[in-house]
Amino acid sequence: MTRRVLPYRIPPEDVVVPEAWLLVNEAGELDMPEALPDWDYRMNLHLRRRVRVDLDRARSGSGLPDDAALMLSAVWTATGSNLGGPAQHVRLAEGGTRTVDFDVRLRGADLGGLLLLDTALVLAERRSDARPSSPRRAGSVLWSDRDSLRLQGDAPQFPMAVIDFARTSFPDEAAWHLQISGGMESATMGSLLLLVNERNTITTTAFENAGKPRPVDRIVLSAVYADAARVMIEHALSVDDFGEDADFPDGSLGATLLSLFEQLFPGQSITDVRLRQRQSPALFASDLQAAVKIFEVS
């Protein structure tokens, strides 16, 4: 772990002994993997971690008095949704060694992309009596680490809702519809919404089983992904500002579409693909079908 240079004293790294994050599911607890290949936005996450802190050494190593209140904090950030927030905070005012058990539950609808989990030991309150070389501001970091979990899956990686298409302007018998709104610099999570027709039980069941899909569910999810990719790429190519030199903010719709384009058409220029799509839309549709590897299920 890279050690940051801070304008105040910090204790040795071994004053905090963290155990690995655990992923909790129906089968019990397992070490958090690097990626969840079957994750989708309807899958909530339950994570646990145990951390042991030597409070006396943490204070003395930082030049803090024995009564300085510390706090152990866990914070999450999701790159796909551009959302984040506190997971759990535990105030540590006593002495000796303290064991803290984090128990974190995150909504799948708030996640996406890379889930970052930051754990930090910080000064809980401002210390006006601190030495010049000691931390004094509330929130001063004494120790920290970061873990990550890549969330990926067969289902399209954006929010979805199950509704009755009969109550909308969409055809009653349509299975799904991908809505795209906002400009290229708008946040992806607020620009994309997959609507699934509750009357189409085959599709709704496939998404319900996305965590543990059956062969038929994988085929349905593959079809949805292929169609969503087509809509997204066609939308991108219709925007004149969408090009190789575009610089879209992280977490924006433009950045998401650019990433999808590079994934589906590696080594090809946007100009060439846009020209092919306009001159021969039928051939382009076949190119896109091949790029998404439709119905290639394991």
Side-chain angles (χ1 to χ4, degrees), residues 243-276:
E244 284 86 0
D245 297 331
D247 185 17
F248 301 116
D250 292 341
S252 67
L253 176 62
T256 298
L257 295 177
L258 189 59
S259 176
L260 178 62
F261 181 91
E262 293 172 349
Q263 174 188 338
L264 297 180
F265 300 101
Q268 301 185 51
S269 73
I270 293 176
T271 301
D272 290 344
V273 174
R274 178 182 281 124
L275 184 63
R276 189 160 72 247

PDB file of all heavy atoms in Angstrom, residues 243-276:
ATOM      1  N   GLY A 243     -16.939  11.730 -30.850  1.00  0.00           N
ATOM      2  CA  GLY A 243     -15.788  11.419 -31.700  1.00  0.00           C
ATOM      3  C   GLY A 243     -14.592  11.033 -30.875  1.00  0.00           C
ATOM      4  O   GLY A 243     -14.607  11.089 -29.636  1.00  0.00           O
ATOM      5  N   GLU A 244     -13.509  10.648 -31.578  1.00  0.00           N
ATOM      6  CA  GLU A 244     -12.311  10.190 -30.869  1.00  0.00           C
ATOM      7  C   GLU A 244     -11.707  11.263 -29.981  1.00  0.00           C
ATOM      8  O   GLU A 244     -11.092  10.952 -28.949  1.00  0.00           O
ATOM      9  CB  GLU A 244     -11.255   9.717 -31.881  1.00  0.00           C
ATOM     10  CG  GLU A 244     -11.522   8.348 -32.499  1.00  0.00           C
ATOM     11  CD  GLU A 244     -12.440   8.444 -33.718  1.00  0.00           C
ATOM     12  OE1 GLU A 244     -12.849   9.588 -34.064  1.00  0.00           O
ATOM     13  OE2 GLU A 244     -12.742   7.407 -34.313  1.00  0.00           O
ATOM     14  N   ASP A 245     -11.843  12.517 -30.372  1.00  0.00           N
ATOM     15  CA  ASP A 245     -11.217  13.600 -29.609  1.00  0.00           C
ATOM     16  C   ASP A 245     -12.105  14.142 -28.497  1.00  0.00           C
ATOM     17  O   ASP A 245     -11.715  15.079 -27.793  1.00  0.00           O
ATOM     18  CB  ASP A 245     -10.856  14.752 -30.560  1.00  0.00           C
ATOM     19  CG  ASP A 245      -9.835  14.327 -31.607  1.00  0.00           C
ATOM     20  OD1 ASP A 245      -9.039  13.423 -31.304  1.00  0.00           O
ATOM     21  OD2 ASP A 245      -9.851  14.904 -32.715  1.00  0.00           O
ATOM     22  N   ALA A 246     -13.286  13.566 -28.330  1.00  0.00           N
ATOM     23  CA  ALA A 246     -14.206  14.058 -27.301  1.00  0.00           C
ATOM     24  C   ALA A 246     -13.638  13.771 -25.912  1.00  0.00           C
ATOM     25  O   ALA A 246     -13.006  12.735 -25.682  1.00  0.00           O
ATOM     26  CB  ALA A 246     -15.574  13.404 -27.457  1.00  0.00           C
ATOM     27  N   ASP A 247     -13.859  14.702 -24.993  1.00  0.00           N
ATOM     28  CA  ASP A 247     -13.382  14.553 -23.616  1.00  0.00           C
ATOM     29  C   ASP A 247     -14.585  14.686 -22.688  1.00  0.00           C
ATOM     30  O   ASP A 247     -14.936  15.779 -22.253  1.00  0.00           O
ATOM     31  CB  ASP A 247     -12.340  15.627 -23.295  1.00  0.00           C
ATOM     32  CG  ASP A 247     -11.726  15.456 -21.912  1.00  0.00           C
ATOM     33  OD1 ASP A 247     -11.870  14.338 -21.346  1.00  0.00           O
ATOM     34  OD2 ASP A 247     -11.141  16.415 -21.395  1.00  0.00           O
ATOM     35  N   PHE A 248     -15.211  13.546 -22.402  1.00  0.00           N
ATOM     36  CA  PHE A 248     -16.412  13.544 -21.574  1.00  0.00           C
ATOM     37  C   PHE A 248     -16.036  13.315 -20.114  1.00  0.00           C
ATOM     38  O   PHE A 248     -15.102  12.567 -19.809  1.00  0.00           O
ATOM     39  CB  PHE A 248     -17.381  12.449 -22.032  1.00  0.00           C
ATOM     40  CG  PHE A 248     -17.820  12.588 -23.461  1.00  0.00           C
ATOM     41  CD1 PHE A 248     -17.486  11.621 -24.406  1.00  0.00           C
ATOM     42  CD2 PHE A 248     -18.573  13.676 -23.876  1.00  0.00           C
ATOM     43  CE1 PHE A 248     -17.889  11.743 -25.725  1.00  0.00           C
ATOM     44  CE2 PHE A 248     -18.985  13.804 -25.195  1.00  0.00           C
ATOM     45  CZ  PHE A 248     -18.640  12.838 -26.126  1.00  0.00           C
ATOM     46  N   PRO A 249     -16.761  13.918 -19.175  1.00  0.00           N
ATOM     47  CA  PRO A 249     -16.467  13.716 -17.742  1.00  0.00           C
ATOM     48  C   PRO A 249     -16.657  12.256 -17.325  1.00  0.00           C
ATOM     49  O   PRO A 249     -17.486  11.536 -17.900  1.00  0.00           O
ATOM     50  CB  PRO A 249     -17.486  14.630 -17.042  1.00  0.00           C
ATOM     51  CG  PRO A 249     -17.965  15.580 -18.087  1.00  0.00           C
ATOM     52  CD  PRO A 249     -17.881  14.849 -19.383  1.00  0.00           C
ATOM     53  N   ASP A 250     -15.895  11.825 -16.335  1.00  0.00           N
ATOM     54  CA  ASP A 250     -16.074  10.481 -15.790  1.00  0.00           C
ATOM     55  C   ASP A 250     -17.496  10.318 -15.270  1.00  0.00           C
ATOM     56  O   ASP A 250     -18.041  11.223 -14.621  1.00  0.00           O
ATOM     57  CB  ASP A 250     -15.081  10.221 -14.653  1.00  0.00           C
ATOM     58  CG  ASP A 250     -13.652  10.134 -15.144  1.00  0.00           C
ATOM     59  OD1 ASP A 250     -13.456   9.914 -16.347  1.00  0.00           O
ATOM     60  OD2 ASP A 250     -12.729  10.287 -14.321  1.00  0.00           O
ATOM     61  N   GLY A 251     -18.104   9.161 -15.536  1.00  0.00           N
ATOM     62  CA  GLY A 251     -19.451   8.894 -15.067  1.00  0.00           C
ATOM     63  C   GLY A 251     -20.538   9.516 -15.921  1.00  0.00           C
ATOM     64  O   GLY A 251     -21.721   9.384 -15.604  1.00  0.00           O
ATOM     65  N   SER A 252     -20.146  10.180 -17.025  1.00  0.00           N
ATOM     66  CA  SER A 252     -21.134  10.819 -17.884  1.00  0.00           C
ATOM     67  C   SER A 252     -21.642   9.841 -18.940  1.00  0.00           C
ATOM     68  O   SER A 252     -21.036   8.797 -19.207  1.00  0.00           O
ATOM     69  CB  SER A 252     -20.532  12.042 -18.575  1.00  0.00           C
ATOM     70  OG  SER A 252     -19.524  11.648 -19.500  1.00  0.00           O
ATOM     71  N   LEU A 253     -22.766  10.216 -19.576  1.00  0.00           N
ATOM     72  CA  LEU A 253     -23.317   9.394 -20.645  1.00  0.00           C
ATOM     73  C   LEU A 253     -22.325   9.265 -21.788  1.00  0.00           C
ATOM     74  O   LEU A 253     -22.133   8.174 -22.343  1.00  0.00           O
ATOM     75  CB  LEU A 253     -24.626  10.008 -21.143  1.00  0.00           C
ATOM     76  CG  LEU A 253     -25.298   9.324 -22.347  1.00  0.00           C
ATOM     77  CD1 LEU A 253     -25.679   7.901 -22.014  1.00  0.00           C
ATOM     78  CD2 LEU A 253     -26.517  10.121 -22.802  1.00  0.00           C
ATOM     79  N   GLY A 254     -21.673  10.363 -22.137  1.00  0.00           N
ATOM     80  CA  GLY A 254     -20.705  10.315 -23.224  1.00  0.00           C
ATOM     81  C   GLY A 254     -19.559   9.368 -22.935  1.00  0.00           C
ATOM     82  O   GLY A 254     -19.132   8.605 -23.807  1.00  0.00           O
ATOM     83  N   ALA A 255     -19.036   9.406 -21.698  1.00  0.00           N
ATOM     84  CA  ALA A 255     -17.943   8.504 -21.326  1.00  0.00           C
ATOM     85  C   ALA A 255     -18.396   7.050 -21.381  1.00  0.00           C
ATOM     86  O   ALA A 255     -17.643   6.160 -21.810  1.00  0.00           O
ATOM     87  CB  ALA A 255     -17.434   8.857 -19.934  1.00  0.00           C
ATOM     88  N   THR A 256     -19.632   6.785 -20.948  1.00  0.00           N
ATOM     89  CA  THR A 256     -20.164   5.424 -20.986  1.00  0.00           C
ATOM     90  C   THR A 256     -20.305   4.933 -22.420  1.00  0.00           C
ATOM     91  O   THR A 256     -19.939   3.796 -22.748  1.00  0.00           O
ATOM     92  CB  THR A 256     -21.531   5.365 -20.277  1.00  0.00           C
ATOM     93  OG1 THR A 256     -21.359   5.719 -18.908  1.00  0.00           O
ATOM     94  CG2 THR A 256     -22.143   3.978 -20.367  1.00  0.00           C
ATOM     95  N   LEU A 257     -20.828   5.782 -23.298  1.00  0.00           N
ATOM     96  CA  LEU A 257     -21.005   5.399 -24.700  1.00  0.00           C
ATOM     97  C   LEU A 257     -19.658   5.217 -25.389  1.00  0.00           C
ATOM     98  O   LEU A 257     -19.492   4.303 -26.214  1.00  0.00           O
ATOM     99  CB  LEU A 257     -21.843   6.448 -25.416  1.00  0.00           C
ATOM    100  CG  LEU A 257     -23.292   6.589 -24.935  1.00  0.00           C
ATOM    101  CD1 LEU A 257     -23.994   7.728 -25.672  1.00  0.00           C
ATOM    102  CD2 LEU A 257     -24.064   5.285 -25.129  1.00  0.00           C
ATOM    103  N   LEU A 258     -18.698   6.058 -25.062  1.00  0.00           N
ATOM    104  CA  LEU A 258     -17.361   5.918 -25.649  1.00  0.00           C
ATOM    105  C   LEU A 258     -16.709   4.615 -25.206  1.00  0.00           C
ATOM    106  O   LEU A 258     -16.082   3.910 -26.008  1.00  0.00           O
ATOM    107  CB  LEU A 258     -16.498   7.112 -25.251  1.00  0.00           C
ATOM    108  CG  LEU A 258     -15.144   7.242 -25.958  1.00  0.00           C
ATOM    109  CD1 LEU A 258     -15.330   7.349 -27.458  1.00  0.00           C
ATOM    110  CD2 LEU A 258     -14.386   8.451 -25.426  1.00  0.00           C
ATOM    111  N   SER A 259     -16.886   4.266 -23.942  1.00  0.00           N
ATOM    112  CA  SER A 259     -16.342   3.008 -23.434  1.00  0.00           C
ATOM    113  C   SER A 259     -16.998   1.818 -24.115  1.00  0.00           C
ATOM    114  O   SER A 259     -16.320   0.841 -24.479  1.00  0.00           O
ATOM    115  CB  SER A 259     -16.537   2.928 -21.912  1.00  0.00           C
ATOM    116  OG  SER A 259     -16.098   1.698 -21.407  1.00  0.00           O
ATOM    117  N   LEU A 260     -18.313   1.881 -24.313  1.00  0.00           N
ATOM    118  CA  LEU A 260     -19.016   0.804 -24.993  1.00  0.00           C
ATOM    119  C   LEU A 260     -18.552   0.679 -26.436  1.00  0.00           C
ATOM    120  O   LEU A 260     -18.342  -0.433 -26.937  1.00  0.00           O
ATOM    121  CB  LEU A 260     -20.518   1.055 -24.944  1.00  0.00           C
ATOM    122  CG  LEU A 260     -21.407   0.036 -25.670  1.00  0.00           C
ATOM    123  CD1 LEU A 260     -21.267  -1.351 -25.045  1.00  0.00           C
ATOM    124  CD2 LEU A 260     -22.862   0.480 -25.652  1.00  0.00           C
ATOM    125  N   PHE A 261     -18.368   1.809 -27.110  1.00  0.00           N
ATOM    126  CA  PHE A 261     -17.901   1.777 -28.496  1.00  0.00           C
ATOM    127  C   PHE A 261     -16.532   1.111 -28.587  1.00  0.00           C
ATOM    128  O   PHE A 261     -16.301   0.256 -29.455  1.00  0.00           O
ATOM    129  CB  PHE A 261     -17.838   3.198 -29.073  1.00  0.00           C
ATOM    130  CG  PHE A 261     -17.382   3.243 -30.504  1.00  0.00           C
ATOM    131  CD1 PHE A 261     -18.302   3.185 -31.540  1.00  0.00           C
ATOM    132  CD2 PHE A 261     -16.026   3.328 -30.819  1.00  0.00           C
ATOM    133  CE1 PHE A 261     -17.885   3.203 -32.865  1.00  0.00           C
ATOM    134  CE2 PHE A 261     -15.608   3.336 -32.140  1.00  0.00           C
ATOM    135  CZ  PHE A 261     -16.533   3.282 -33.172  1.00  0.00           C
ATOM    136  N   GLU A 262     -15.624   1.485 -27.704  1.00  0.00           N
ATOM    137  CA  GLU A 262     -14.273   0.913 -27.737  1.00  0.00           C
ATOM    138  C   GLU A 262     -14.290  -0.573 -27.426  1.00  0.00           C
ATOM    139  O   GLU A 262     -13.458  -1.336 -27.935  1.00  0.00           O
ATOM    140  CB  GLU A 262     -13.384   1.657 -26.744  1.00  0.00           C
ATOM    141  CG  GLU A 262     -13.126   3.105 -27.141  1.00  0.00           C
ATOM    142  CD  GLU A 262     -12.403   3.888 -26.070  1.00  0.00           C
ATOM    143  OE1 GLU A 262     -12.297   3.357 -24.923  1.00  0.00           O
ATOM    144  OE2 GLU A 262     -11.944   5.010 -26.349  1.00  0.00           O
ATOM    145  N   GLN A 263     -15.246  -0.998 -26.599  1.00  0.00           N
ATOM    146  CA  GLN A 263     -15.373  -2.417 -26.276  1.00  0.00           C
ATOM    147  C   GLN A 263     -15.895  -3.220 -27.468  1.00  0.00           C
ATOM    148  O   GLN A 263     -15.417  -4.324 -27.743  1.00  0.00           O
ATOM    149  CB  GLN A 263     -16.320  -2.586 -25.092  1.00  0.00           C
ATOM    150  CG  GLN A 263     -16.650  -4.035 -24.751  1.00  0.00           C
ATOM    151  CD  GLN A 263     -17.746  -4.138 -23.703  1.00  0.00           C
ATOM    152  OE1 GLN A 263     -18.001  -3.208 -22.947  1.00  0.00           O
ATOM    153  NE2 GLN A 263     -18.413  -5.274 -23.664  1.00  0.00           N
ATOM    154  N   LEU A 264     -16.847  -2.646 -28.200  1.00  0.00           N
ATOM    155  CA  LEU A 264     -17.481  -3.366 -29.308  1.00  0.00           C
ATOM    156  C   LEU A 264     -16.714  -3.237 -30.620  1.00  0.00           C
ATOM    157  O   LEU A 264     -16.748  -4.146 -31.451  1.00  0.00           O
ATOM    158  CB  LEU A 264     -18.911  -2.868 -29.500  1.00  0.00           C
ATOM    159  CG  LEU A 264     -19.872  -3.091 -28.329  1.00  0.00           C
ATOM    160  CD1 LEU A 264     -21.252  -2.535 -28.661  1.00  0.00           C
ATOM    161  CD2 LEU A 264     -19.973  -4.570 -27.974  1.00  0.00           C
ATOM    162  N   PHE A 265     -16.036  -2.111 -30.811  1.00  0.00           N
ATOM    163  CA  PHE A 265     -15.328  -1.868 -32.069  1.00  0.00           C
ATOM    164  C   PHE A 265     -13.867  -1.489 -31.804  1.00  0.00           C
ATOM    165  O   PHE A 265     -13.431  -0.396 -32.156  1.00  0.00           O
ATOM    166  CB  PHE A 265     -16.021  -0.755 -32.864  1.00  0.00           C
ATOM    167  CG  PHE A 265     -17.454  -1.048 -33.222  1.00  0.00           C
ATOM    168  CD1 PHE A 265     -18.488  -0.495 -32.487  1.00  0.00           C
ATOM    169  CD2 PHE A 265     -17.756  -1.890 -34.281  1.00  0.00           C
ATOM    170  CE1 PHE A 265     -19.798  -0.768 -32.811  1.00  0.00           C
ATOM    171  CE2 PHE A 265     -19.075  -2.171 -34.621  1.00  0.00           C
ATOM    172  CZ  PHE A 265     -20.105  -1.612 -33.879  1.00  0.00           C
ATOM    173  N   PRO A 266     -13.103  -2.380 -31.168  1.00  0.00           N
ATOM    174  CA  PRO A 266     -11.705  -2.049 -30.842  1.00  0.00           C
ATOM    175  C   PRO A 266     -10.885  -1.812 -32.102  1.00  0.00           C
ATOM    176  O   PRO A 266     -10.980  -2.551 -33.080  1.00  0.00           O
ATOM    177  CB  PRO A 266     -11.230  -3.295 -30.080  1.00  0.00           C
ATOM    178  CG  PRO A 266     -12.124  -4.401 -30.548  1.00  0.00           C
ATOM    179  CD  PRO A 266     -13.453  -3.763 -30.788  1.00  0.00           C
ATOM    180  N   GLY A 267     -10.093  -0.740 -32.073  1.00  0.00           N
ATOM    181  CA  GLY A 267      -9.217  -0.448 -33.205  1.00  0.00           C
ATOM    182  C   GLY A 267      -9.897   0.221 -34.379  1.00  0.00           C
ATOM    183  O   GLY A 267      -9.237   0.520 -35.385  1.00  0.00           O
ATOM    184  N   GLN A 268     -11.202   0.466 -34.303  1.00  0.00           N
ATOM    185  CA  GLN A 268     -11.928   1.105 -35.395  1.00  0.00           C
ATOM    186  C   GLN A 268     -12.251   2.551 -35.029  1.00  0.00           C
ATOM    187  O   GLN A 268     -12.523   2.858 -33.871  1.00  0.00           O
ATOM    188  CB  GLN A 268     -13.212   0.342 -35.714  1.00  0.00           C
ATOM    189  CG  GLN A 268     -12.990  -1.120 -36.107  1.00  0.00           C
ATOM    190  CD  GLN A 268     -14.274  -1.795 -36.525  1.00  0.00           C
ATOM    191  OE1 GLN A 268     -15.012  -1.287 -37.367  1.00  0.00           O
ATOM    192  NE2 GLN A 268     -14.546  -2.963 -35.956  1.00  0.00           N
ATOM    193  N   SER A 269     -12.242   3.405 -36.029  1.00  0.00           N
ATOM    194  CA  SER A 269     -12.526   4.808 -35.770  1.00  0.00           C
ATOM    195  C   SER A 269     -14.031   5.052 -35.746  1.00  0.00           C
ATOM    196  O   SER A 269     -14.803   4.372 -36.434  1.00  0.00           O
ATOM    197  CB  SER A 269     -11.882   5.693 -36.838  1.00  0.00           C
ATOM    198  OG  SER A 269     -12.591   5.590 -38.071  1.00  0.00           O
ATOM    199  N   ILE A 270     -14.428   6.031 -34.952  1.00  0.00           N
ATOM    200  CA  ILE A 270     -15.844   6.389 -34.876  1.00  0.00           C
ATOM    201  C   ILE A 270     -16.336   6.894 -36.228  1.00  0.00           C
ATOM    202  O   ILE A 270     -17.458   6.596 -36.648  1.00  0.00           O
ATOM    203  CB  ILE A 270     -16.064   7.438 -33.773  1.00  0.00           C
ATOM    204  CG1 ILE A 270     -15.785   6.820 -32.403  1.00  0.00           C
ATOM    205  CG2 ILE A 270     -17.485   8.000 -33.820  1.00  0.00           C
ATOM    206  CD1 ILE A 270     -15.883   7.792 -31.242  1.00  0.00           C
ATOM    207  N   THR A 271     -15.491   7.630 -36.924  1.00  0.00           N
ATOM    208  CA  THR A 271     -15.871   8.152 -38.238  1.00  0.00           C
ATOM    209  C   THR A 271     -16.189   7.027 -39.205  1.00  0.00           C
ATOM    210  O   THR A 271     -17.203   7.073 -39.926  1.00  0.00           O
ATOM    211  CB  THR A 271     -14.733   9.027 -38.809  1.00  0.00           C
ATOM    212  OG1 THR A 271     -14.472  10.107 -37.924  1.00  0.00           O
ATOM    213  CG2 THR A 271     -15.118   9.578 -40.180  1.00  0.00           C
ATOM    214  N   ASP A 272     -15.350   5.989 -39.255  1.00  0.00           N
ATOM    215  CA  ASP A 272     -15.574   4.864 -40.171  1.00  0.00           C
ATOM    216  C   ASP A 272     -16.844   4.106 -39.812  1.00  0.00           C
ATOM    217  O   ASP A 272     -17.630   3.734 -40.693  1.00  0.00           O
ATOM    218  CB  ASP A 272     -14.372   3.916 -40.144  1.00  0.00           C
ATOM    219  CG  ASP A 272     -13.138   4.523 -40.791  1.00  0.00           C
ATOM    220  OD1 ASP A 272     -13.294   5.535 -41.512  1.00  0.00           O
ATOM    221  OD2 ASP A 272     -12.031   4.013 -40.552  1.00  0.00           O
ATOM    222  N   VAL A 273     -17.048   3.864 -38.511  1.00  0.00           N
ATOM    223  CA  VAL A 273     -18.238   3.116 -38.096  1.00  0.00           C
ATOM    224  C   VAL A 273     -19.499   3.934 -38.355  1.00  0.00           C
ATOM    225  O   VAL A 273     -20.522   3.386 -38.795  1.00  0.00           O
ATOM    226  CB  VAL A 273     -18.133   2.728 -36.605  1.00  0.00           C
ATOM    227  CG1 VAL A 273     -19.428   2.090 -36.117  1.00  0.00           C
ATOM    228  CG2 VAL A 273     -16.969   1.769 -36.382  1.00  0.00           C
ATOM    229  N   ARG A 274     -19.442   5.233 -38.099  1.00  0.00           N
ATOM    230  CA  ARG A 274     -20.595   6.095 -38.357  1.00  0.00           C
ATOM    231  C   ARG A 274     -20.948   6.083 -39.849  1.00  0.00           C
ATOM    232  O   ARG A 274     -22.131   6.003 -40.225  1.00  0.00           O
ATOM    233  CB  ARG A 274     -20.306   7.518 -37.886  1.00  0.00           C
ATOM    234  CG  ARG A 274     -21.450   8.485 -38.160  1.00  0.00           C
ATOM    235  CD  ARG A 274     -21.101   9.897 -37.718  1.00  0.00           C
ATOM    236  NE  ARG A 274     -21.244  10.060 -36.277  1.00  0.00           N
ATOM    237  CZ  ARG A 274     -20.300  10.482 -35.462  1.00  0.00           C
ATOM    238  NH1 ARG A 274     -19.082  10.730 -35.941  1.00  0.00           N
ATOM    239  NH2 ARG A 274     -20.536  10.628 -34.163  1.00  0.00           N
ATOM    240  N   LEU A 275     -19.944   6.131 -40.701  1.00  0.00           N
ATOM    241  CA  LEU A 275     -20.179   6.113 -42.147  1.00  0.00           C
ATOM    242  C   LEU A 275     -20.799   4.782 -42.569  1.00  0.00           C
ATOM    243  O   LEU A 275     -21.729   4.757 -43.393  1.00  0.00           O
ATOM    244  CB  LEU A 275     -18.855   6.344 -42.887  1.00  0.00           C
ATOM    245  CG  LEU A 275     -18.940   6.448 -44.410  1.00  0.00           C
ATOM    246  CD1 LEU A 275     -19.784   7.647 -44.817  1.00  0.00           C
ATOM    247  CD2 LEU A 275     -17.527   6.566 -45.012  1.00  0.00           C
ATOM    248  N   ARG A 276     -20.301   3.679 -42.011  1.00  0.00           N
ATOM    249  CA  ARG A 276     -20.848   2.367 -42.352  1.00  0.00           C
ATOM    250  C   ARG A 276     -22.286   2.243 -41.886  1.00  0.00           C
ATOM    251  O   ARG A 276     -23.130   1.671 -42.589  1.00  0.00           O
ATOM    252  CB  ARG A 276     -19.984   1.277 -41.717  1.00  0.00           C
ATOM    253  CG  ARG A 276     -20.334  -0.136 -42.181  1.00  0.00           C
ATOM    254  CD  ARG A 276     -19.196  -1.100 -41.935  1.00  0.00           C
ATOM    255  NE  ARG A 276     -19.006  -1.432 -40.537  1.00  0.00           N
ATOM    256  CZ  ARG A 276     -17.934  -1.076 -39.827  1.00  0.00           C
ATOM    257  NH1 ARG A 276     -16.984  -0.344 -40.380  1.00  0.00           N
ATOM    258  NH2 ARG A 276     -17.826  -1.423 -38.565  1.00  0.00           N
TER     259      ARG A 276
END
